[in-house]
């Protein structure tokens, strides 16, 4: 409602009235309340509660999993040893590709042998970063069944990113079904291990073959699969962070709440500067008051006794500059269900943190994301000073508990409707 | 110097001292003073005054035009009728490609038939927008000679964008020479017209074939050519602009001063919202005081009597959020040489503009860029109010004069060392 009200009092010409289309202009802002019903409705043809600038009702005009054309690979690559595998370097035997044109709409989805893409050299994904991606995983449980974790949340976020990137809408449940079929084809690539998984990378590119900066008339949605080992294979070590306002990850009026490529490429330079300072990742700050926003490519959580002496788990609110992480949302929902301490989406500044550290009020700080689930923070270099964050036994209590509860659901050890069988 | 001083008082740990490398960390900021000498030194092997994070001295490790491998196309496409040609939709017969790997360095440059690129589906240009481009033109003069306009300025900007994108350094003069050879191969594609030209699009992609967000170990630099007609073929019409702070093009700590793809893809959505309001382009604002920054994909100039009653040509300063346009720089240098009015790089807010319009102090406002040279602004929709900008005869006096002086140089009608023969 806030978005609608803001809209109504904005600088729109008076000749325009507030319509449903206007209300849904940035549907991301409504995602928290939408996501539960959308997640439950994880069935093909039901995922049409995000309207788009194109006015396309995705359930009507989308590709359909029932139309899948499957061409199996004649060769099979050897499965890698996951022990020392670098993330995202090995891919499975097949990929999913779905083409779209403004004239012909969505074409039939294809599952075919993994291989290079043939792209026009003027392709808008390569000149103007008309591109977005998602990150999710398939897990093999103790009964040898393969599971996805809250896949509709990825689809919702992907649909929102697509709208922001001026890429066409699609039926999110149909895409989940296509991904499920792809994973079935490459089922042997899902590691038989409760610490490894098959990383799933949906990618969506504008493939307009001309140089004008405009909405693409062609697009390519594809999905590739990469087996990944344990994030903490060499033992969990708390990460060190470089906190400096020299580089800003995202800003209001930008694309920080969407999983668009431009957010990531622009961050690499800062990542290497962090390394120059002996830190592993960047703690992204925002504004003159140095608000804490994200950690590397993860959301950020602080577990502390807040200014009022309340025990609180805090993370920045989804105000447009924060990526709405699936793990972030799951942590908020889990801990709210526990009801053991205050759980709050709120602003946190470096001054708040420094003061709390001085007064011994900080319990834990950690990043959250699909790759690691949770990743404790041990040290922050800020204004020339090393701030040490409490980290009992390298993996503090709340982070450990969240890691266990979430992976128990992901690997099917705990029954939950967050886990969807492939 | 300012950058060095700021650096010295920043939050760097005291154990680090100010080095030359640190001074050149964001060499873009020194570009204005560097560009003149760099531009004069437009000879292969001399372009090594930008150092990089990689510490690579580009003249030593770069590809060389002397190593060019040329494979001519067996077929020749028909040249298009330029009258109603949409920008960037038709390409010439050949392209330049140069590959780089972290192990092998730069490979030999190739000129070969124009065709699709074969790219790994995990390519970092397509997931994390590790990509940048340039825009320049080749012009045919009355003596049938073909000319480039200040190509080393494009190369300097490209080298700075490459550094920011964590792509490898290269010898800028060698790239100009490679481009010159490409244009020679496709010389027939340079239109025989003093209102058309051959648009040149250098592009630089990270082609890392894995999913970690990191500096790419592979890259591809390529150049494609597209014949373009007159920007004002249907007559010069002043553009209308939608000014709203809802979308922000670039921000301090971001990549707005580099020609990286992410800056452009994120702008398309706002462009269509501008169209919803009956405006052709976005006037990009910044900050609570609504500073005027850029127009669509152009730099912005205001010609007015300023607050102190001085006749002034003003454009925002290169403070990190403004693209350092070649046309922008040329307009500043030309008008400073004229010495007829004050020429100033300064901040301008919407309040400044609105007040000046009320008091009748605005003479002209225009965008500048490679595609149009200059493009007058006729109307700005701001906070529900249409601000009308003076526009005598659709193409006001200063814009007309700049258009003539610049195109006279580009098409060789005026002798200038800004124009370089192919």
């Amino acid at each position: 409602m806030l978005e609608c009200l803001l809209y109504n009092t904005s600088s729109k010409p008076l000749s325009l009235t507030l319509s449903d289309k206007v209300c849904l202009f940035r549907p991301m802002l409504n995602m928290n309340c939408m996501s539960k019903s959308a997640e439950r409705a994880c069935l093909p043809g039901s995922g049409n509660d995000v309207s788009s600038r194109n006015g396309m009702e995705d359930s009507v005009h989308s590709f359909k999993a029932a139309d899948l054309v499957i061409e199996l690979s004649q060769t099979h690559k050897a499965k890698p040893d996951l022990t020392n595998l670098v993330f995202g370097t090995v891919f499975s035997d097949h990929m999913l590709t779905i083409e779209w044109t403004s004239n012909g709409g969505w074409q039939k989805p294809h599952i075919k042998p993994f291989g290079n893409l043939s792209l026009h050299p003027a392709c808008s994904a390569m000149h103007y970063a008309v591109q977005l991606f998602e990150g999710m995983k398939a897990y093999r449980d103790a009964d040898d069944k393969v599971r996805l974790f809250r896949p509709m949340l990825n689809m919702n976020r992907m649909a929102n990113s697509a709208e922001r990137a001026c890429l066409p809408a699609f039926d999110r449940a149909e895409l989940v079904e296509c991904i499920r079929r792809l994973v079935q084809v490459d089922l042997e690539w899902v590691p038989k291990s409760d610490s490894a998984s098959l990383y799933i990378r949906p990618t969506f590119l504008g493939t307009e073959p001309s140089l004008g900066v405009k909405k693409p008339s062609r697009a390519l949605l594809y999905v590739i699969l990469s087996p990944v080992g344990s994030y903490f294979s060499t033992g969990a070590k708390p990460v060190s962070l470089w906190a400096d306002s020299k580089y800003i990850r995202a800003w209001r009026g930008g694309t920080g709440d969407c999983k668009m490529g431009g957010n990531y490429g622009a961050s690499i330079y800062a990542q290497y500067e962090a390394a120059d300072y002996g830190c592993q990742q960047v703690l992204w700050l925002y504004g003159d008051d140095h608000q804490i926003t994200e950690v590397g490519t993860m959301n950020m959580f602080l577990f502390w006794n807040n200014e009022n002496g309340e025990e609180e788990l805090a993370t920045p609110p989804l105000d447009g500059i924060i990526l709405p992480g699936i793990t972030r949302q799951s942590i908020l929902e889990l801990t709210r269900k526990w009801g053991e301490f205050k759980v709050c989406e709120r602003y946190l500044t470096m001054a708040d943190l420094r003061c709390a550290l001085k007064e011994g009020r900080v319990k834990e700080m950690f990043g959250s994301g699909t790759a690691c689930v949770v990743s404790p923070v041990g040290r922050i270099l800020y204004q020339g000073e090393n701030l040490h964050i409490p980290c009992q036994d390298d993996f503090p209590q709340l982070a450990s508990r969240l890691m266990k509860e979430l992976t128990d659901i992901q690997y099917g050890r705990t029954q939950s409707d967050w886990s969807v069988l492939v």
Side-chain angles (χ1 to χ4, degrees), chain A:
Chain A
M1 279 319 290
L2 181 63
E3 175 72 352
C4 300
L5 291 171
L6 284 173
Y7 230 96
N8 209 11
T9 58
S10 81
S11 59
K12 284 240 176 187
L14 293 176
S15 61
L16 287 183
T17 56
L18 188 67
S19 70
D20 284 343
K21 185 182 162 213
V22 169
C23 273
L24 285 170
F25 187 64
R26 293 300 298 278
M28 181 65 80
L29 295 167
N30 298 316
M31 202 174 114
N32 274 346
C33 50
M34 274 171 31
S35 61
K36 286 198 175 169
S37 55
E39 195 179 0
R40 274 197 292 270
C42 181
L43 293 166
S46 65
N48 60 349
D49 53 354
V50 175
S51 76
S52 81
R53 175 165 281 276
N54 295 335
M56 179 192 277
E57 286 179 25
D58 55 3
S59 65
V60 177
H61 297 288
S62 183
F63 53 84
K64 307 275 180 220
D67 295 333
L68 261 170
V69 178
I70 301 182
E71 178 203 346
L72 294 180
S73 176
Q74 296 304 304
T75 57
H76 298 280
K77 286 178 273 191
K79 311 287 183 298
D81 173 12
L82 297 176
T83 318
N84 291 307
L85 188 63
V86 177
F87 172 80
T89 54
V90 170
F91 297 91
S92 72
D93 288 324
H94 296 87
M95 64 197 294
L96 170 74
T97 65
I98 319 175
E99 290 188 69
W100 175 89
T101 66
S102 55
N103 293 330
W106 283 106
Q107 307 300 299
K108 286 182 182 178
H110 285 253
I111 289 174
K112 59 188 184 189
F114 182 91
N116 275 13
L117 302 171
S118 176
L119 293 168
H120 192 281
C123 171
S124 53
M126 298 184 313
H127 292 259
Y128 309 126
V130 180
Q131 59 178 245
L132 58 97
F133 67 96
E134 273 300 323
M136 48 205 293
K137 283 177 172 176
Y139 312 84
R140 190 180 292 273
D141 70 17
D143 297 332
D144 224 23
K145 286 183 292 204
V146 171
R147 298 166 171 276
L148 302 176
F149 182 72
R150 312 190 80 179
M152 278 307 283
L153 297 189
N154 291 95
M155 297 300 104
N156 291 340
R157 187 170 64 184
M158 190 168 176
N160 281 297
S161 300
E163 190 188 5
R164 184 66 175 84
C166 294
L167 285 168
F170 56 89
D171 188 311
R172 294 156 297 141
E174 293 288 348
L175 183 54
V176 170
E177 185 57 23
C178 289
I179 290 171
R180 207 197 295 245
R181 297 284 295 279
L182 175 66
V183 173
Q184 282 168 351
V185 167
D186 275 342
L187 208 61
E188 286 305 305
W189 285 87
V190 186
K192 291 176 175 44
S193 156
D194 66 354
S195 66
S197 58
L198 185 66
Y199 183 81
I200 301 169
R201 171 57 63 96
T203 315
F204 199 2
L205 307 180
T207 51
E208 169 68 34
S210 71
L211 296 177
V213 181
K214 62 190 173 197
K215 199 184 289 189
S217 68
R218 307 184 68 88
L220 172 68
L221 195 166
Y222 67 96
V223 182
I224 53 180
L225 307 175
S226 174
V228 293
S230 167
Y231 193 83
F232 297 110
S233 58
T234 56
K237 286 267 175 266
V239 295
S240 53
L241 306 178
W242 178 60
D244 194 296
S245 61
K246 187 171 165 187
Y247 303 103
I248 304 295
R249 191 195 82 91
W251 69 109
R252 302 217 166 80
T255 60
D257 57 352
C258 295
K259 218 163 169 69
M260 288 168 66
N263 300 341
Y264 295 80
S267 78
I268 300 176
Y269 198 86
Q271 188 179 310
Y272 284 89
E273 190 157 348
D276 286 349
Y277 286 100
C279 296
Q280 293 164 285
Q281 294 187 34
V282 178
L283 182 62
W284 297 101
L285 306 181
Y286 187 79
D288 292 336
D289 55 351
H290 290 184
Q291 292 162 33
I292 302 171
T293 63
E294 297 197 12
V295 175
T297 57
M298 299 182 286
N299 290 119
M300 193 283 304
F301 282 88
L302 180 67
F303 186 46
W304 68 336
N305 289 323
N306 70 15
E307 310 85 338
N308 305 319
E310 301 161 302
E311 192 175 42
E312 178 183 82
L313 179 65
T315 192
L318 301 181
D319 63 352
I321 67 167
I322 302 292
L323 190 82
I326 315 306
T327 312
R328 174 189 181 280
Q329 180 176 335
S330 302
I331 289 173
L332 290 174
E333 290 174 20
L334 265 186
T335 51
R336 279 178 178 145
K337 207 172 75 180
W338 296 348
E340 297 173 16
F341 42 76
K342 189 174 177 186
V343 177
C344 196
E345 292 169 80
R346 53 161 285 178
Y347 293 104
L348 295 161
T349 67
M350 284 305 296
D352 294 335
L353 177 65
R354 191 145 58 174
C355 173
L357 282 167
K358 270 193 190 133
E359 297 174 2
R361 292 189 279 108
V362 173
K363 296 163 181 283
E364 303 180 22
M365 186 171 170
F366 51 85
S368 74
T370 295
C372 64
V373 185
V374 291
S375 176
V377 173
R379 175 173 70 87
I380 301 172
L381 177 61
Y382 177 63
Q383 296 181 340
E385 185 188 357
N386 273 310
L387 308 177
H388 293 277
I389 313 294
C391 258
Q392 320 92 306
D393 307 325
D394 283 351
F395 223 96
Q397 203 177 356
L398 177 59
S400 299
R401 183 174 168 194
L402 286 167
M403 174 70 98
K404 182 173 185 313
E405 292 223 5
L406 286 168
T407 53
D408 278 352
I409 293 170
Q410 289 165 345
Y411 289 93
R413 294 183 294 260
T414 299
Q415 187 61 32
S416 165
D417 57 6
W418 287 359
S419 188
V420 177
L421 285 174
V422 164

